[in-house]
Amino acid sequence: EAGVTQFPSHSVIEKGQTVTLRCDPISGHDNLYWYRRVMGKEIKFLLHFVKESKQDESGMPNNRFLAERTGGTYSTLKVQPAELEDSGVYFCASSQESGVVQYFGPGTRLTVT
Amino acid sequence: AQSVTQLGSHVSVSEGALVLLRCNYSSSVPPYLFWYVQYPNQGLQLLLKYTSAATLVKGINGFEAEFKKSETSFHLTKPSAHMSDAAEYFCAVGVDSSYKLIFGSGTRLLVRP
């Protein structure tokens, strides 16, 4: 069974540009989470989908971040326009319907210059 | 509010020595507690979890952790370190019914030959 996959693995963009990160959860997992680790800081929760619905987006930093999960399958996280402080590693995780355990993807390292 | 504190951003041990990584949590309700490991250039991998069953939890690769409610601790141990254990370790608490995770700041384990 394939694990959580994320694309791209690395992205380098200039300040003001747009970037879209993609996450494919484990097949059949209703819950999908996005987290971010800024350099030197702890991993922080961004938002949680249950199927295609946003259950909790309390961790989203500001309205430059837009997450979607069309059809309850893969999810995208768009940053527009990107700022320097958006640099970090973005992790996606998924879990079963009432699952306690989250399975993480390898992360996308975003560098904004 | 829930929080997690990991004492020591870096821990160095000799190969064959005891590994002890400390984690203290703050939670207003019985917590779900996790240890994740991130090997170089990889994603987060679940080591073990506590979900209110046995207080001594065994995980993969010879690691175990003990939940101590009186001390609000969930320290990770391994009797004998191996070179392959060199990685960054994260303690996390699962929050509310969504199980979103609050992470500690991570501890990087260095194993000396």
Side-chain angles (χ1 to χ4, degrees):
Chain A
E1 180 181 292
V4 177
T5 58
Q6 293 186 244
F7 182 83
S9 56
H10 293 83
S11 180
V12 181
I13 62 172
E14 293 183 353
K15 177 182 173 181
Q17 290 185 322
T18 297
V19 64
T20 300
L21 314 180
R22 174 171 170 144
C23 168
D24 286 78
I26 293 172
S27 178
H29 280 193
D30 289 339
N31 293 294
L32 188 149
Y33 305 80
W34 283 98
Y35 295 85
R36 177 175 75 169
R37 190 183 194 194
V38 172
M39 183 68 71
K41 303 281 190 177
E42 67 273 22
I43 300 169
K44 285 195 172 180
F45 167 82
L46 294 179
L47 86 159
H48 170 214
F49 283 99
V50 177
K51 298 183 180 178
E52 67 275 10
S53 299
K54 291 177 186 175
Q55 191 75 13
D56 180 354
E57 50 184 333
S58 61
M60 294 288 262
N62 50 60
N63 58 12
R64 295 186 293 104
F65 289 75
L66 175 64
E68 295 180 324
R69 191 181 183 193
T70 306
T73 55
Y74 71 91
S75 174
T76 58
L77 180 64
K78 180 189 290 187
V79 185
Q80 179 182 29
E83 298 288 344
L84 298 178
E85 63 265 26
D86 301 332
S87 295
V89 180
Y90 290 76
F91 292 102
C92 175
S94 70
S95 68
Q96 295 176 326
E97 181 179 357
S98 56
V100 172
V101 176
Q102 295 179 30
Y103 298 90
F104 281 77
T108 293
R109 182 174 296 278
L110 174 65
T111 302
V112 183
T113 62
Chain B
Q2 287 86 351
S3 65
V4 176
T5 301
Q6 290 184 242
L7 289 177
S9 59
H10 292 79
V11 170
S12 179
V13 300
S14 297
E15 190 174 20
L18 171 72
V19 175
L20 171 60
L21 304 183
R22 299 178 187 274
C23 172
N24 287 86
Y25 69 92
S26 169
S27 176
S28 57
V29 297
Y32 293 110
L33 294 163
F34 306 84
W35 276 99
Y36 282 87
V37 60
Q38 186 178 24
Y39 298 104
N41 301 314
Q42 295 187 28
L44 296 170
Q45 181 181 357
L46 180 69
L47 267 181
L48 48 80
K49 64 182 186 292
Y50 167 77
T51 56
S52 72
T55 56
L56 182 61
V57 181
K58 295 187 183 299
I60 62 172
N61 301 337
F63 284 93
E64 62 182 35
E66 186 173 8
F67 171 69
K68 291 187 177 180
K69 184 177 179 180
S70 60
E71 298 178 7
T72 60
S73 68
F74 191 57
H75 301 331
L76 181 71
T77 61
K78 182 175 180 178
S80 176
H82 192 272
M83 297 297 290
S84 60
D85 294 327
E88 190 162 19
Y89 293 78
F90 298 91
C91 182
V93 61
V95 175
D96 63 47
S97 59
S98 74
Y99 306 124
K100 71 183 182 186
L101 297 174
I102 294 177
F103 284 88
S105 53
T107 298
R108 192 171 294 278
L109 177 66
L110 172 66
V111 182
R112 305 185 304 272

